[in-house]
Amino acid sequence: MRRLVGLAGAVFLATALVTAPAATAAAAPAPAPFAAQQEAGALPPMGWNSWNKFGCNINEELIRETADAIVTSGLRDAGYQYVNIDDCWAEQNRNAEGKFEPNHERFPSGIKALADYVHAKGLKLGIYTSAGTQTCAKTMPGALDHEDVDAQTFADWGVDYLKYDNCNNENRPAIERYTKMGDAIKKTGRPMIYALCEWGENQPWLWGKTAGAQLWRTTGDISDNWTSMTGILDQQVGLEKYSGPGGWNDPDMLEVGNGGMTDAEYRSHFALWSLMNAPLLAGNDIRSMPAATKNILANRDLVALDQDWAGVQGHKVRDDGDTEVWAKPMSDGSAAVVLFNRGVSAVSMAGSAAELGLSGRDFRLRDLWTGAETETTGAVRATVPSHGSAVFRVWPAKFPTAAPAATFSLDAGSYFPAGKPFTAHLKLVNDGSTPLAAARVKLSAPAGWPVDGRGDVVVPAVGAGKSWARDVTVKPVQPGDTVAMSAQVSYVTAWGRRTLSADASGPVVKPFAPGVTPMSKAPFLLTENGWGPVERGTSNGENQAGDGNPITINGQVHADGLGAHAPSLVRVYLGGGCQSFHSVVGLDDEFATGSVTFEVHGDGKTLASTDVFRHGSAAQTLDVPLAGVQVLDLVVTDGGDGNNTDHADWADAAVTC
């Protein structure tokens, strides 16, 4: 009876569609920009994936609501179209037919109904499994030896994208496993993006296309922290020649908006991933993202870098230590550049049009974060905040069409010793071909730190290609715990008046007290860590604060110290009055794998370093002289082979002053 009713309903619906006026027919939603090119692999896919934010806590309501939010937030219109369900969507066991069974409680309507819902929004649905016996979360089967039936199941459900992981693979050859699924997808006849998640273990950039894939992971998983993001970035250097239309390097999904990094760090993350033609798969809660997150993800100028039809991956063109210049040639003859600051304080950075592969005497310069356009004779300069990025697109021009490119900087350092005056360096640079006139500079001193002399000045003119600079001494009167200061300059150009601002801030620091100070009790100027926070008094543990264990190296338990995960940095201010640093270092017993080295730096110079520690390596005692050292850095590296389970202990770490 149910079938007859359905048939009658279908006949009635068909009649209604034939007889109803055309104007009443519901219009199909417009596809996302670049939709067809992404589907064919000619451009990197864009969309969303559930794992980074939700892990296994997923259900069909979340997927529907996310699809709705992608549309209403404007992300679909910016190019995002794939709604990808990651691990944990299926029952633990296959059904009687040997097929995947969607989880009965969390996906009761099934994947086909979910695909239909997503498709009705002008979006596409993605799904996940592993090239192993189980998936990584071990909550559902993998597809190993079930490739044909699983690929056909996905096709029958209307799936548009498969992420194929690498867990529980029985040590069978990767190329064999991934090619078998690629062949199975082709047999279905359904267009489907095939994303290899092989973690870069067997150089999939060399064989991924042959296996049928349109993208391949180049590294292990990303985590929502600065060290993880930059570590993955570093592993992309040299891979640019393997990426292009039809096959893309995948440095893993985006963490933008998940809370583990600052907005400046998220902007760098997104800018660099866009420059590298990475698949742009948001991993946050789209339904409730703040404006700052939306403004990053929906920045169409940056998306345009990622989706440029020529598909030339951006690459690093200069590495000056804490500052880097990355560039990408564009199909219209322009070039994009990211000025990237890994340092702990703002810095003035510059690249050049020649460095970007451009020639000429004049250039149009567009700031891709603000949209502002200026003119330069070749320099591409910006004051870049700590862990931040400045992103520009540069076009050759025949003559100036905008105000000259100018930068204004305020450099006062990243920390401020209590009771001591400091110098603030002000600088205004004109990189254009026309002058800056009647510049008015004003410095606002921090509370409790008056300026020695006047904090404002009038500069009659800064000529083309010239600069103006001034040093200002700031003295302490009633300093608090932090210093925050700002400066502003306004000037006149042939295109009207312009205003620039700059700021500087940092903690007020005091020397260590006389005696022995355990590092677990020391105030940190800065910490960076590859997995979770640096733990005080325990091992690193997992990704949350306070989840470490007793520090244990080769069975020896230590009552105190620091637990880190490579790559890691702990920075403290000593003030020059300490004598020595002591620690027992080694790999913690909480994992049976890993490889690390330890380094002790004083004022930027290496004072001590170790060979590579591996599981079972004997602990090593470090006693390091510190005479005259102002700033002490404790550094852990990954031993040169990636940072998987690199849990490092600074056991009994202490400074004697």
Side-chain angles (χ1 to χ4, degrees):
M1 179 63 69
R2 190 169 297 168
R3 289 190 179 185
L4 290 175
V5 171
L7 177 60
V11 171
F12 174 81
L13 177 59
T15 304
L17 289 174
V18 169
T19 59
T24 64
F34 322 113
Q37 299 97 313
Q38 289 181 21
E39 181 179 316
L43 291 176
M46 296 175 60
W48 173 87
N49 179 285
S50 60
W51 184 258
N52 283 356
K53 178 65 177 180
F54 297 100
C56 283
N57 297 317
I58 57 173
N59 55 45
E60 62 183 43
E61 288 78 18
L62 169 67
I63 306 306
R64 288 195 182 97
E65 290 171 2
T66 299
D68 295 343
I70 289 173
V71 175
T72 58
S73 67
L75 288 185
R76 183 191 65 185
D77 294 340
Y80 295 80
Q81 65 168 331
Y82 289 96
V83 183
N84 293 348
I85 309 168
D86 209 283
D87 205 346
C88 311
W89 59 268
E91 288 289 322
Q92 183 76 50
N93 299 307
R94 295 174 178 271
N95 63 22
E97 297 176 335
K99 297 180 179 180
F100 280 120
E101 186 80 9
N103 185 276
H104 298 159
E105 293 184 3
R106 292 182 286 109
F107 292 88
S109 302
I111 303 301
K112 175 67 167 65
L114 206 51
D116 291 345
Y117 185 90
V118 169
H119 292 158
K121 298 285 181 181
L123 304 171
K124 299 180 184 297
L125 187 77
I127 208 150
Y128 164 99
T129 186
S130 182
T133 56
Q134 287 182 304
T135 58
C136 293
K138 296 185 177 180
T139 62
M140 54 176 279
L144 188 63
D145 297 328
H146 295 80
E147 292 84 0
D148 286 340
V149 68
D150 290 348
Q152 190 59 56
T153 299
F154 298 150
D156 293 343
W157 286 344
V159 168
D160 307 291
Y161 184 118
L162 172 63
K163 174 183 173 182
Y164 203 37
D165 217 331
N166 196 30
C167 290
N168 305 300
N169 59 42
E170 296 189 333
N171 294 318
R172 285 160 62 173
I175 297 176
E176 173 188 299
R177 289 181 291 116
Y178 284 98
T179 301
K180 194 171 181 182
M181 178 56 84
D183 291 342
I185 291 172
K186 290 175 188 174
K187 290 177 191 176
T188 70
R190 179 175 179 80
M192 199 181 302
I193 290 291
Y194 181 31
L196 306 190
C197 185
E198 189 265 357
W199 316 327
E201 289 187 343
N202 294 277
Q203 298 181 302
W205 46 87
L206 299 179
W207 51 266
K209 265 191 183 182
T210 305
Q214 290 77 45
L215 56 146
W216 41 81
R217 280 274 298 278
T218 55
T219 68
D221 289 358
I222 193 171
S223 298
D224 186 21
N225 63 71
W226 167 257
T227 305
S228 173
M229 186 272 286
T230 54
I232 286 176
L233 174 69
D234 291 340
Q235 295 177 70
Q236 308 314 302
V237 176
L239 297 183
E240 57 270 9
K241 61 186 175 183
Y242 302 107
S243 181
W248 307 98
N249 292 324
D250 178 8
D252 206 2
M253 302 169 291
L254 296 167
E255 290 282 9
V256 175
N258 280 333
M261 289 186 265
T262 66
D263 283 344
E265 291 168 345
Y266 282 138
R267 285 192 290 271
S268 295
H269 178 20
F270 189 76
L272 288 158
W273 262 232
S274 296
L275 194 86
M276 295 189 298
N277 294 103
L280 296 181
L281 297 175
N284 60 310
D285 191 344
I286 302 292
R287 304 168 301 173
S288 59
M289 62 180 171
T293 297
K294 177 182 173 182
N295 291 341
I296 295 171
L297 295 175
N299 184 310
R300 298 200 184 196
D301 279 336
L302 286 169
V303 167
L305 306 186
D306 185 80
Q307 299 288 293
D308 184 58
W309 65 263
V312 179
Q313 179 174 319
H315 60 283
K316 188 193 294 187
V317 297
R318 176 151 47 93
D319 188 334
D320 296 325
D322 280 346
T323 61
E324 299 172 359
V325 178
W326 292 68
K328 170 184 169 64
M330 300 292 289
S331 57
D332 67 349
S334 66
V337 59
V338 176
L339 306 178
F340 181 41
N341 177 16
R342 294 175 181 254
V344 297
S345 57
V347 64
S348 180
M349 294 182 61
S352 69
E355 207 170 14
L356 309 182
L358 301 177
S359 59
R361 298 178 60 185
D362 208 72
F363 301 88
R364 171 182 157 214
L365 190 66
R366 180 175 177 84
D367 184 325
L368 300 192
W369 285 123
T370 68
E373 293 205 359
T374 54
E375 169 266 341
T376 176
T377 56
V380 182
R381 191 186 313 270
T383 299
V384 185
S386 169
H387 291 188
S389 60
V391 191
F392 297 96
R393 192 162 172 180
V394 188
W395 292 264
K398 293 182 179 179
F399 48 82
T401 58
T407 55
F408 182 52
S409 60
L410 168 60
D411 181 9
S414 58
Y415 61 90
F416 303 90
K420 295 183 179 180
F422 65 88
T423 300
H425 308 278
L426 294 163
K427 189 172 186 178
L428 176 63
V429 181
N430 178 6
D431 287 315
S433 60
T434 57
L436 314 178
R440 296 179 177 272
V441 181
K442 181 175 177 58
L443 174 68
S444 299
W449 297 74
V451 173
D452 186 11
R454 292 181 60 87
D456 57 349
V457 64
V458 175
V459 184
V462 179
K466 303 295 183 180
S467 64
W468 167 89
R470 184 185 182 191
D471 288 347
V472 178
T473 300
V474 182
K475 296 182 176 181
V477 175
Q478 293 178 325
D481 295 329
T482 60
V483 166
M485 60 192 308
S486 62
Q488 187 178 79
V489 60
S490 66
Y491 53 87
V492 177
T493 75
W495 285 264
R497 180 169 289 277
R498 298 288 189 271
T499 301
L500 299 173
S501 60
D503 55 54
S505 62
V508 175
V509 294
K510 298 178 181 179
F512 274 29
V516 177
T517 299
M519 288 298 294
S520 63
K521 304 297 191 294
F524 296 158
L525 272 179
L526 169 71
T527 63
E528 295 177 355
N529 209 46
W531 181 250
V534 174
E535 297 285 3
R536 297 174 183 264
T538 70
S539 67
N540 183 82
E542 289 297 333
N543 204 28
Q544 302 301 313
D547 63 4
N549 302 298
I551 291 174
T552 309
I553 304 174
N554 290 333
Q556 178 65 48
V557 178
H558 297 260
D560 196 20
L562 301 176
H565 190 295
S568 177
L569 167 66
V570 175
R571 176 170 293 171
V572 295
Y573 175 75
L574 301 180
C578 298
Q579 287 79 52
S580 63
F581 167 78
H582 168 83
S583 183
V584 177
V585 299
L587 277 169
D588 194 272
D589 288 358
E590 62 191 356
F591 277 92
T593 55
S595 60
V596 299
T597 69
F598 295 82
E599 299 175 4
V600 179
H601 298 177
D603 297 331
K605 298 179 180 179
T606 301
L607 305 180
S609 62
T610 70
D611 293 332
V612 176
F613 285 79
R614 304 189 189 281
H615 182 63
S617 296
Q620 181 176 338
T621 299
L622 297 179
D623 286 298
V624 184
L626 297 177
V629 171
Q630 299 288 320
V631 175
L632 173 70
D633 287 346
L634 305 183
V635 177
V636 180
T637 81
D638 64 9
D641 62 355
N643 69 332
N644 189 34
T645 63
D646 286 350
H647 291 233
D649 291 334
W650 297 94
D652 307 327
V655 171
T656 300
C657 303

